[in-house]
């Protein structure tokens, strides 16, 4: 009986070790003011975001670990009788990195502009503010279109041991999916 | 379960290999794949634990049920598990310790200090170069501020060339380019950042920028124009540092960053490797334990079958054959030998059963013979214990409802006093160990007012080194009676022959004497002579009658058989007794009853019986004789009943013997003759007293068709 109790305990521990990632609360990126507009058949997306870096992430950044964020933008057409269809999909990245040699933060925004900052907050501000992000050829505004956007810290850019350490959740930094209805203008 | 464990083993092995490969080459495996692989491994471990728990539960259940081989399986499993767990655990502990130490050893303090020193050197070099640019820039700003507007371009060029600067740009407050000089004529100037200009307003602002392998120093210095006090300009001095220095500095920075990243990942690295090793350990141990169940069962199965079969053999079931599966090891040889042994035992047992059956049949046959034997048989051992007896022995010895088997003769004698002489004779013979010459004796046993004569004959037999004694008991009552009848017949025949011959001359002589002398004698003498002569003649006649009866009794069995109507014969006999004054009633069926026999002889029988009844009814106030005829099972049964005094009990048993009679007159041969006639007609007769007084004679004769 005692033996079976021990086995049960071991099973519970192992399973909880495998699944605890979903239990621990996630760090957040708050995305707001998502907007899309069209200029000469080219769609541009703008949004604001607030990236709250934890002290652990600051520490990692100071150690030279680059923090790269992936932005996933989609325009989806809702279909009442069939599956939703992805009309447009665009992925973007921006990152911030501390350069030890020059003792400055190198920030590259979503449009690929690179700047150096002495203060981290300036670097974060630089990548937070997304304006006129070219997401491709504009789609015809017909039907029920919604746009969705999600920002997520790209773990694949982290050192491999950190990636494989599935129990370490300080790297789980992402936003909720922001969904806005696209005004058709009709 | 047979295939489940090997499948589990294979899956576990595959997962182990995948996990090992994912760690060996992290580029091949994505984080998500690794996570999935990890979860699969955890789930697999959980399944293995469940499987093993199930196996243990089943094994314990089997042990509780005392299923043969389960304890051996448990021992083997524990042994295998210990053999695996102990070394693997040691290897695990050593590996974890080694791994942790190895990872920690990568991050040497000296290396870190050296890298930090290198980086610091680079930083200081850049700072010195920046300071140099700043000084040059201030000098240039002073000169340009004091120069005339038209001289600015040439002054910029001259001073740039003088200070060996790559590029110099002069801005106004609105970041409009007022003047520019560049060593690279084709380069397009990058517009200054407003923020930089703003910061430069405080005196100086320097920026170091990295572009690929190039490090560029930018210095922003305010310019005070002498003739335009209200206006202020800004000089941007841009100078890339030498390639040799920049590439070395970038290389140091890169190594430092790699080191820092690795140092930062140290904890994760430890966790990942330890966790992986733990999973590998658990997978290895649990898979091995699960497989050990299969192997243990494989080992213990034939032994369990052997033990089970041994139990079956012990219970007498020799049909149990263990599957051999063609194994050539010691267990295979053992199984073969066992099967051969059980086969031989089976054959031997079957033969034994056949023999037992034969013995049983022989015993039953002997029992049947003994049971149906008219002679009594008793087997007595040397301890005088009765080992065997048959029903006839009990009947002849009149031992009723007693179990005498294994009882000593003396104890049997205590319960049966009248048998004491018989049992004493047997006992004395046994005590003499069969050496006595007196082996045969005859005894009279009185039972139920009948006297029976039995003959005891003893023989000794030697069986299984022991002496046993067979006692044969025969009822020789009929034989002795026959012998007696024969003796009486012989006596009667001789008497008749010897006495009858002189009787006639005696009678004739007496009559002649009377005839010759009657006339010569006086009246008184004549009376005496006549009286004497009559006496002689009367006695001679009486003797003749007696002799005739003897003659009848002794005559050879000669009868003339005819079909006789029994009822008519009885009626004709009864008619003779009508005047006697006895009430004779006849009960006869309507059926005609015929007997093949001698009418005169049978009449003699009936007359004899009626005469006896008449004699018995002399003192009876209401004399009554009843004659009844009936047919029972193909025989004619004739019953003579009277309400007289009956037959005295002391002579009832030998009433048919000659000279046995209760009457004062008569020869005592009447019933002896009756018995003889009836036996000559293949019939039987029995005389007994009725319970309420009187006697009853029952004659049974075969019926003629």
């Amino acid at each position: 009986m005692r033996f079976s109790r021990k086995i049960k305990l071991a099973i519970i521990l192992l399973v909880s070790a495998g699944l605890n990632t979903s239990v621990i609360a996630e760090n957040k990126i708050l995305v707001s003011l998502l907007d899309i507009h069209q200029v000469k058949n080219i769609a541009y997306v703008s949004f604001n975001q607030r990236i709250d870096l934890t002290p652990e992430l600051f520490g990692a950044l100071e150690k030279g670990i680059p923090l790269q964020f992936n932005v996933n933008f989609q325009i989806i057409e809702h279909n009442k009788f069939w599956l939703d269809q992805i009309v447009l999909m665009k992925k973007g990245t921006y990152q911030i990195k501390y350069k030890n040699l020059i003792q400055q933060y190198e920030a590259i925004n979503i449009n690929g502009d690179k700047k150096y900052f002495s203060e981290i907050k300036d670097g974060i501000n630089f990548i937070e503010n997304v304006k006129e992000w070219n997401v491709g050829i504009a789609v015809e505004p017909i039907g029920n279109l919604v746009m969705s956007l999600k920002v997520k810290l790209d773990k694949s850019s982290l050192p491999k041991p950190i990636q494989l350490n599935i129990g370490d959740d300080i790297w789980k930094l992402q936003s909720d999916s922001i969904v806005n209805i696209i005004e058709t203008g009709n | 379960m047979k295939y489940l464990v090997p499948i589990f083993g294979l899956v576990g092995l595959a997962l182990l290999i995948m996990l090992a490969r994912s760690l060996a080459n992290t580029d091949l495996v994505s984080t998500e794949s690794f996570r999935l692989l990890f979860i699969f491994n955890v789930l697999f471990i959980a399944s293995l634990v469940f499987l093993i728990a199930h196996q243990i539960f089943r094994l314990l259940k089997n042990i509780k049920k005392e299923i043969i081989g389960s304890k051996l399986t448990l021992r083997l499993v524990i042994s295998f598990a210990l053999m695996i767990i102990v070394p693997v655990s040691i290897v695990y502990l050593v590996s974890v310790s080694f791994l942790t130490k190895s990872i920690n050893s990568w991050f040497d303090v000296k290396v870190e200090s050296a890298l930090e020193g290198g980086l610091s050197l680079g930083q200081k070099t850049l700072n010195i170069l920046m300071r140099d640019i700043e000084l040059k820039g201030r000098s240039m700003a002073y000169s340009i501020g004091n120069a005339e507007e038209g001289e600015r371009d040439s002054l910029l060029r001259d001073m740039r060339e003088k200070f060996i600067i790559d590029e110099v740009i002069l801005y106004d407050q609105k970041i409009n380019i007022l003047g520019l000089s560049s060593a690279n004529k084709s380069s397009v100037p990058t517009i200054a950042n407003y923020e930089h200009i703003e910061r430069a307003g405080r005196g100086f602002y320097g920026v170091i920028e990295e572009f690929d392998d190039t490090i560029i120093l930018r210095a922003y210095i305010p310019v005070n124009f002498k003739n335009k006090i209200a206006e202020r300009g800004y000089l941007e001095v841009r100078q890339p540092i030498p390639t040799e220095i920049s590439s070395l500095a970038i290389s140091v920075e890169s190594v430092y960053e790699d080191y820092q990243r690795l140092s930062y990942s140290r904890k994760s690295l430890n966790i990942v490797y330890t966790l992986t090793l733990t999973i590998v350990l658990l997978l290895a141990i649990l898979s091995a334990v699960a497989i050990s169940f299969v192997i243990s069962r494989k080992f213990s199965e034939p032994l369990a079958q052997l033990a089970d079969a041994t139990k079956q053999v012990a219970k007498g079931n020799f049909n149990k054959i263990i599957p051999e599966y063609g194994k050539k090891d010691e267990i295979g040889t053992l199984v073969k030998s066992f099967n051969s042994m059980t086969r031989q035992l089976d054959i031997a047992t079957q033969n034994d059963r056949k023999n037992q059956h034969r013995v049983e049949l022989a015993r039953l046959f002997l029992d049947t013979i003994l049971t149906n034997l008219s002679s009594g048989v008793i087997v007595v051992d040397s301890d005088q214990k009765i080992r065997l007896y048959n029903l006839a022995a009990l009947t002849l010895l009149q031992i009723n409802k007693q179990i005498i088997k294994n009882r000593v003769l003396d104890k049997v004698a205590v319960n049966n006093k009248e048998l004491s002489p018989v049992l004493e004779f047997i006992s004395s013979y046994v005590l003499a160990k069969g050496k006595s010459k007196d082996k045969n004796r005859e005894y009279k046993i009185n039972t139920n007012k009948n006297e029976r004569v039995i003959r005891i004959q003893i023989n000794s037999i030697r069986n299984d080194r022991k002496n046993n004694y067979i006692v044969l008991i025969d009822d020789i009552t009929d034989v002795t009676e026959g012998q007696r009848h024969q003796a009486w017949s012989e006596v009667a025949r001789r008497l008749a022959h010897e006495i009858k011959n002189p009787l006639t001359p005696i009678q004739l002589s007496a009559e002649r004497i009377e005839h010759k002398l009657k006339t010569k004698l006086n009246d008184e003498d004549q009376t005496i002579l006549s009286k004497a002569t009559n006496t002689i003649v009367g006695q001679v006649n009486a003797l003749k009658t007696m002799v005739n009866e003897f003659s009848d009794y002794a005559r050879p069995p000669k009868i003339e058989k005819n079909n006789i109507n029994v009822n008519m014969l009885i009626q004709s006999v009864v008619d003779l007794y009508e005047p006697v004054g006895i009430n004779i009633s006849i009960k006869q069926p309507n059926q005609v009853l015929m007997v093949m026999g001698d009418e005169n002889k049978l009449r003699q029988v009936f007359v004899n019986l009626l005469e006896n009844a008449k004699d018995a009814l002399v003192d009876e106030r209401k004399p009554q004789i009843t004659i009844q005829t009936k047919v029972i099972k193909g025989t004619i049964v004739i019953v003579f009943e009277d309400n007289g005094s009956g037959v005295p009990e002391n002579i009832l048993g030998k009433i048919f013997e000659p000279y046995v009679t209760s009457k004062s007159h008569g020869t005592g041969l009447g019933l002896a003759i009756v018995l003889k006639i009836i036996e000559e007609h293949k019939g039987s007769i029995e005389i007994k007293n009725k319970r309420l007084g009187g006697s009853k004679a029952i004659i049974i004769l075969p019926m003629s068709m």
Side-chain angles (χ1 to χ4, degrees), chain B residues 10-28:
Chain B
L10 287 174
V11 172
L13 193 67
L15 284 169
L16 264 177
I17 292 167
M18 283 161 76
L19 202 65
R21 279 185 68 83
S22 71
L23 282 176
N25 193 350
T26 49
D27 293 336
L28 287 176

Coordinates of all heavy atoms in Angstrom, one line a residue, chain B residues 10-28:
Chain B
L10 N 10.5 -1.3 -26.4 CA 10.9 -0.7 -27.7 C 10.6 0.8 -27.7 O 11.5 1.6 -28.2 CB 10.3 -1.4 -28.9 CG 10.8 -2.9 -29.1 CD1 9.9 -3.5 -30.2 CD2 12.2 -2.8 -29.6
V11 N 9.4 1.1 -27.3 CA 9.0 2.6 -27.3 C 9.9 3.3 -26.4 O 10.4 4.4 -26.8 CB 7.5 2.7 -26.9 CG1 7.2 4.2 -26.7 CG2 6.6 2.1 -27.9
G12 N 10.2 2.8 -25.2 CA 11.1 3.4 -24.3 C 12.5 3.6 -24.8 O 13.1 4.7 -24.7
L13 N 13.0 2.6 -25.6 CA 14.3 2.7 -26.2 C 14.3 3.8 -27.2 O 15.3 4.6 -27.3 CB 14.7 1.4 -26.8 CG 16.1 1.2 -27.2 CD1 17.0 1.1 -26.0 CD2 16.3 -0.1 -28.0
A14 N 13.3 3.9 -28.0 CA 13.2 4.9 -29.1 C 13.1 6.3 -28.5 O 13.9 7.2 -28.9 CB 11.9 4.7 -29.9
L15 N 12.4 6.4 -27.4 CA 12.3 7.7 -26.7 C 13.6 8.1 -26.1 O 14.0 9.3 -26.2 CB 11.2 7.7 -25.6 CG 9.8 7.8 -26.1 CD1 8.8 7.5 -25.0 CD2 9.4 9.1 -26.8
L16 N 14.3 7.1 -25.6 CA 15.6 7.4 -25.0 C 16.6 7.9 -26.1 O 17.3 8.9 -25.8 CB 16.2 6.1 -24.4 CG 16.0 5.8 -22.9 CD1 16.5 4.5 -22.5 CD2 16.7 6.9 -22.1
I17 N 16.6 7.2 -27.2 CA 17.5 7.6 -28.3 C 17.2 9.0 -28.8 O 18.1 9.9 -29.0 CB 17.4 6.6 -29.5 CG1 18.0 5.2 -29.0 CG2 18.1 7.1 -30.7 CD1 17.7 4.1 -29.9
M18 N 15.9 9.3 -28.9 CA 15.5 10.6 -29.4 C 15.9 11.7 -28.4 O 16.4 12.8 -28.8 CB 13.9 10.7 -29.6 CG 13.5 10.0 -30.9 SD 11.8 9.5 -30.9 CE 11.1 11.1 -31.2
L19 N 15.7 11.4 -27.1 CA 16.0 12.4 -26.1 C 17.6 12.7 -26.1 O 18.0 13.8 -26.0 CB 15.6 11.9 -24.7 CG 15.4 12.9 -23.6 CD1 14.2 13.8 -24.0 CD2 15.1 12.2 -22.3
A20 N 18.3 11.6 -26.2 CA 19.8 11.7 -26.2 C 20.2 12.5 -27.5 O 21.1 13.4 -27.4 CB 20.4 10.3 -26.3
R21 N 19.6 12.2 -28.6 CA 20.0 12.9 -29.9 C 19.6 14.4 -29.8 O 20.3 15.3 -30.2 CB 19.3 12.3 -31.1 CG 20.0 11.1 -31.6 CD 19.3 10.5 -32.8 NE 19.5 11.4 -34.0 CZ 20.6 11.5 -34.7 NH1 21.6 10.6 -34.5 NH2 20.7 12.3 -35.7
S22 N 18.5 14.7 -29.1 CA 18.0 16.1 -29.0 C 19.0 16.9 -28.2 O 19.2 18.1 -28.4 CB 16.6 16.1 -28.4 OG 16.7 15.8 -27.1
L23 N 19.6 16.2 -27.2 CA 20.6 16.9 -26.4 C 21.9 17.0 -27.0 O 22.6 18.0 -26.9 CB 20.7 16.2 -25.0 CG 19.6 16.5 -24.0 CD1 19.8 15.6 -22.8 CD2 19.5 17.9 -23.6
A24 N 22.2 16.0 -27.8 CA 23.6 16.0 -28.5 C 23.6 17.0 -29.6 O 24.6 17.7 -29.8 CB 23.8 14.6 -29.0
N25 N 22.5 17.2 -30.3 CA 22.5 18.1 -31.4 C 21.2 19.0 -31.3 O 20.2 18.7 -31.8 CB 22.5 17.4 -32.7 CG 22.8 18.3 -33.9 OD1 22.8 19.5 -33.7 ND2 23.1 17.8 -35.0
T26 N 21.4 20.1 -30.5 CA 20.2 20.9 -30.2 C 19.7 21.7 -31.5 O 18.5 22.1 -31.5 CB 20.5 21.9 -29.1 OG1 21.7 22.6 -29.5 CG2 20.7 21.3 -27.8
D27 N 20.6 21.8 -32.5 CA 20.1 22.5 -33.7 C 19.0 21.7 -34.4 O 18.2 22.3 -35.1 CB 21.3 22.7 -34.6 CG 22.3 23.7 -34.0 OD1 21.9 24.5 -33.1 OD2 23.5 23.7 -34.3
L28 N 19.1 20.4 -34.3 CA 18.2 19.6 -35.0 C 16.8 19.6 -34.4 O 15.8 19.4 -35.1 CB 18.7 18.1 -35.1 CG 19.8 17.8 -36.0 CD1 20.3 16.4 -35.8 CD2 19.5 18.1 -37.4

